[in-house]
Structures are given as structure tokens and as C-alpha cells.
Amino acid sequence: MQLHLEEISRAVARGAHAVLLLDRAGWHTTANLLVPKNLTLVFLPSRAPELNPLENIWQYLRQTWLSNRVFDTYEAILEAACEAGRKLLDQPTTITAIGTRDWAHTGQS
């Protein structure tokens, strides 16, 4: 996460400031992070999938391709997750439908 923050910081225009919306994953909230001065971290409330569309993507992946399965190895879990991700990438309209929030597009056509 530290490397990720540093990379984002380098991409922010000189004199600008970026705000990152993050869930409350442990690697986002650890006190060990040194947040660059040109970034502000804003944490989403816990259990608020309407604010974090990625939560709905994970739910769709679990329901559609990953549920009711037993995996023999860690590698099998990774392969199943990657396969599910590839299948979802082939369905951009599904991704859009899952992630779209009407309230976030008010006044936009």
C-alpha cells in the first residue's frame, strides 16, 4: 500500500492535491503508512456497498462463478478467481450495470 500511495502521489500534478476514497481494509488503515502531503485519505463507512461498487462486483463474482465450490489448493483458488475475473471482463455492460449509481450521475447525460 505504501508503494501504491507513493505512485499515486507522483502522478498528481505539481501544486495539486488528490483525495483517495478507500474502504477500511487493514492495509488501508494501518498506522504504518506514511501518507504523502499531496494526498488525503477518506475512508468509506464500514458495510456501505452503495458507496463502494467494488463490493457489489465481489458479490456478483461469488454468486456467479465462485460459490458452492471446494478448492484443493491455494493455486486452485487463485486460478478460479482469475478465471472469474476474465469472464467478467468479457462482460463490460455487466460491470457497468453493477457499478452504476444513479445518484452519482445526477444532471449528467
Side-chain angles (χ1 to χ4, degrees):
M1 185 64 189
Q2 185 65 55
L3 294 174
H4 188 64
L5 290 177
E6 291 167 6
E7 185 66 27
I8 293 170
S9 175
R10 282 192 289 276
V12 175
R14 185 177 204 88
H17 194 88
V19 176
L20 301 177
L21 291 175
L22 302 165
D23 62 18
R24 294 181 181 269
W27 51 88
H28 294 157
T29 59
T30 178
N32 296 330
L33 286 178
L34 299 174
V35 180
K37 292 187 186 305
N38 63 343
L39 300 179
T40 296
L41 307 184
V42 175
F43 296 100
L44 295 171
S46 298
R47 296 175 187 82
E50 68 279 3
L51 298 177
N52 187 359
L54 190 55
E55 294 296 333
N56 300 106
I57 296 288
W58 281 118
Q59 181 180 0
Y60 180 82
L61 288 171
R62 286 189 300 269
Q63 289 175 341
T64 308
W65 294 297
L66 299 173
S67 64
N68 298 321
R69 296 177 66 179
V70 175
F71 300 98
D72 292 326
T73 64
Y74 176 73
E75 289 74 20
I77 295 170
L78 289 179
E79 181 53 37
C82 288
E83 181 182 342
R86 287 190 293 270
K87 288 178 181 178
L88 184 60
L89 286 175
D90 288 337
Q91 301 176 26
T93 55
T94 299
I95 297 169
T96 300
I98 294 168
T100 298
R101 300 294 185 268
D102 290 338
W103 57 264
H105 296 276
T106 301
Q108 300 178 18
S109 55

